[in-house]
């Protein structure tokens, strides 16, 4: 994935309602639930194949409750860099 995929994700225009709603909420309010963060991170990295650091940086810019250690650690886990890939199925998660 590249700039196009990242733009769709960051603007909430992926076509996946759960991802889009969470990303729009983040842009408009600065907030997102923990489960939402896990879902959108997994989607960006494992489905859109965008470098996880772009997502971590994006969250750093938008989250009002941003915490350096939590954010970057969560993104490392989303990218599977801890040795365990945990792909979230955003279609099933939305039910």
């Amino acid at each position: 994935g590249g700039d196009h995929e990242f733009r769709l994700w960051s603007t909430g225009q992926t076509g996946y309602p759960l991802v889009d709603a969470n990303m729009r909420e983040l842009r408009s309010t600065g907030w997102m639930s923990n489960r939402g963060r896990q879902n959108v991170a997994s989607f960006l990295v494992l489905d859109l194949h965008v470098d996880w650091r772009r997502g971590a940086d994006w969250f750093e810019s938008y989250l009002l409750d941003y915490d350096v250690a939590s954010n970057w650690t969560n993104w490392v886990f989303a990218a599977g860099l801890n040795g365990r890939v945990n792909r979230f199925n955003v279609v099933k998660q939305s039910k």
Side-chain angles (χ1 to χ4, degrees):
D3 291 339
H4 176 71
E5 290 81 5
F6 183 79
R7 184 183 56 75
L8 292 174
W9 176 83
S10 65
T11 59
Q13 298 177 355
T14 66
Y16 288 84
L18 180 66
V19 173
D20 294 347
N22 275 284
M23 294 307 295
R24 289 176 185 157
E25 177 183 30
L26 177 59
R27 284 182 72 106
S28 65
T29 68
W31 301 101
M32 186 187 298
S33 71
N34 183 59
R35 180 59 93 184
R37 295 175 196 200
Q38 292 172 325
N39 275 289
V40 301
S42 170
F43 187 80
L44 180 69
V45 174
L46 301 175
D47 294 300
L48 296 181
H49 307 287
V50 173
D51 188 312
W52 66 273
R53 292 170 289 195
R54 293 186 73 182
D57 185 59
W58 186 260
F59 273 30
E60 183 174 338
S61 299
Y62 279 87
L63 284 170
L64 293 177
D65 65 345
Y66 174 74
D67 174 78
V68 174
S70 294
N71 184 58
W72 288 85
T73 300
N74 288 336
W75 278 95
V76 165
F77 275 79
L81 299 176
N82 63 329
R84 178 175 178 244
V85 175
N86 190 19
R87 173 178 258 130
F88 284 76
N89 183 325
V90 298
V91 175
K92 286 184 179 180
Q93 291 283 324
S94 66
K95 294 182 180 186

